[in-house]
Amino acid sequence: MRTSTNLAAPVDMSGGFADFFATIGMTGGGLVTKGIAAVIAIIAVRMLFTLSQDPKTALRKGSMAIGTLFVAVILALYGSTLFSTVTQAPVTAPAPKE
């Protein structure tokens, strides 16, 4: 007797991209943050590939490229947390009573 096993429950994706990003736990802001981090990482890798033959210049430019790559990794890991404080509405005090 053959029994079929369900590996995954069906998911309704009729809402398009919003449903897809909800299933992977990504919001629009998180997607933008990951995209910015990816662009910065590509720039850092390009900086590493274009080092000169002069040791002093190569060391300076290489360290700048490693620093840029570090910033990209931190932004990819903690970017949504860092920018969540910027996007929240400020809390205002109630108006004084007269």
Side-chain angles (χ1 to χ4, degrees):
M1 181 174 176
R2 185 175 177 194
T3 60
S4 62
T5 304
N6 232 358
L7 295 178
V11 177
D12 179 25
M13 292 285 186
S14 61
F17 284 114
D19 286 340
F20 170 71
F21 290 126
T23 59
I24 62 173
M26 184 76 64
T27 62
L31 186 64
V32 170
T33 305
K34 301 289 187 216
I36 291 171
V39 169
I40 292 173
I42 291 170
I43 291 170
V45 169
R46 185 178 178 276
M47 287 170 63
L48 281 172
F49 283 138
T50 59
L51 294 178
S52 67
Q53 297 299 325
D54 180 35
K56 189 183 288 187
T57 306
L59 182 63
R60 188 180 76 236
K61 287 186 177 183
S63 63
M64 286 174 49
I66 295 296
T68 305
L69 193 59
F70 177 74
V71 168
V73 168
I74 294 299
L75 185 61
L77 292 175
Y78 302 111
S80 58
T81 305
L82 291 171
F83 291 128
S84 68
T85 59
V86 176
T87 57
Q88 291 176 352
V91 178
T92 58
K97 295 181 182 179
E98 292 183 14

